[in-house]
Amino acid sequence: MAHAAVPTAAQLSHYIPDLEPACKFCSTAIQTSDANDDPGTLESKNIAHYFWACPRIRDFWQRVSRFLQDIRAETAGPVFQVDLRMAATGFGAWSKRLPNADALHGLAVWEIYRARAELSLEGTTHSGEAMFIRWKLSLMQRINQDFIYAFTQLKAAHPFHNRWLMVSNRWYHFDPGENELSGKLSFHSSPHTLDSSHNIDSNELLASQGANTSSASSTLTSNVLSSQTPDTPRDD
């Protein structure tokens, strides 16, 4: 994480009078000074709490871990479990066991930042479960969008294959069509999810779009998600 890139309560307390340097999720007091720690060490501790140690964030990572372990097609070897190092640096070590490991991690970190920003700016509190559901739906949207782009532009199928199909999984699969620029993407319900099955056929997609590819792509993605997105649970 870049130095001072995340405006934690501990950082902001130096500039905003009377701001309590505590985690807004769990109310844990955050250190702002320590005779034994330099500022860089303190910042690292605060960032670790922001993205990992907070109980609500740990619950989110546990749900992500169970989901990604459950969808693995090849379960031999170590069990996938996010730890502090992985939360901070990514899932690169699992790039041959999980599809598009960088996107999985990037969307998870974004969801944590997004939830904390919504609490600070809007007063809206999301549970670990709610954060997980939104992360998973964002992931579905990303896969859908990449699929739509690949098979409507008629030139981007290989990047889609490389990102999402090089590592098989039990959550979604791709049925090839008559040629390399056709096929069907299907999602299936899996443990720790609230989604129902759906699929997108590239031939139907192309037929539905006509000349207006960008408009039709966004409409299709919206329709797919709206048919599946539950009301996001929130804490009162």
Side-chain angles (χ1 to χ4, degrees):
M1 306 283 179
H3 174 73
V6 179
T8 63
Q11 285 184 357
L12 295 176
S13 67
H14 293 296
Y15 309 103
I16 302 176
D18 302 321
L19 178 67
E20 184 69 24
C23 173
K24 288 184 176 295
F25 272 154
C26 67
S27 300
T28 296
I30 303 298
Q31 286 181 291
T32 57
S33 62
D34 191 306
N36 298 319
D37 284 332
D38 60 43
T41 301
L42 281 174
E43 181 183 6
S44 297
K45 289 181 177 180
N46 293 334
I47 291 295
H49 183 89
Y50 190 101
F51 285 104
W52 172 255
C54 174
R56 193 177 306 246
I57 305 304
R58 291 291 293 272
D59 178 54
F60 166 71
W61 282 121
Q62 287 290 333
R63 293 172 186 275
V64 170
S65 297
R66 291 198 301 269
F67 172 74
L68 293 179
Q69 174 63 24
D70 286 341
I71 69 169
R72 288 178 57 197
E74 182 58 59
T75 57
V79 173
F80 180 81
Q81 180 66 50
V82 179
D83 56 22
L84 173 58
R85 182 179 181 85
M86 292 169 65
T89 63
F91 301 162
W94 288 80
S95 60
K96 294 184 179 180
R97 297 187 177 100
L98 292 171
N100 206 346
D102 287 342
L104 301 179
H105 175 262
L107 288 172
V109 171
W110 162 247
E111 181 54 46
I112 294 172
Y113 182 84
R114 175 188 179 189
R116 286 190 175 277
E118 288 175 342
L119 177 57
S120 296
L121 298 175
E122 303 171 3
T124 303
T125 303
H126 296 282
S127 66
E129 180 184 16
M131 293 167 61
F132 166 74
I133 292 170
R134 293 203 311 186
W135 168 78
K136 183 181 156 296
L137 291 174
S138 295
L139 183 57
M140 291 177 67
Q141 184 177 37
R142 171 67 182 274
I143 299 170
N144 283 329
Q145 288 174 336
D146 284 358
F147 175 82
I148 289 168
Y149 180 79
F151 291 95
T152 55
Q153 298 301 310
L154 303 180
K155 60 183 179 182
H158 290 300
F160 174 78
H161 278 261
N162 292 340
R163 292 186 187 115
W164 299 110
L165 302 178
M166 289 292 287
V167 179
S168 60
N169 68 89
R170 298 189 294 172
W171 183 33
Y172 63 85
H173 73 275
F174 176 75
D175 295 319
E178 297 179 354
N179 57 65
E180 64 178 8
L181 292 178
S182 65
K184 183 170 67 175
L185 177 68
S186 302
F187 284 85
H188 303 285
S189 296
S190 57
H192 313 296
T193 72
L194 295 180
D195 66 298
S196 56
S197 299
H198 79 273
N199 60 70
I200 306 175
D201 187 286
S202 64
N203 292 324
E204 294 177 1
L205 175 63
L206 291 171
S208 70
Q209 290 190 94
N212 194 350
T213 54
S214 61
S215 174
S217 297
S218 61
T219 299
L220 178 60
T221 304
S222 176
N223 289 341
V224 169
L225 290 178
S226 65
S227 68
Q228 303 213 74
T229 307
D231 293 334
T232 304
R234 297 181 177 179
D235 294 345
D236 294 327

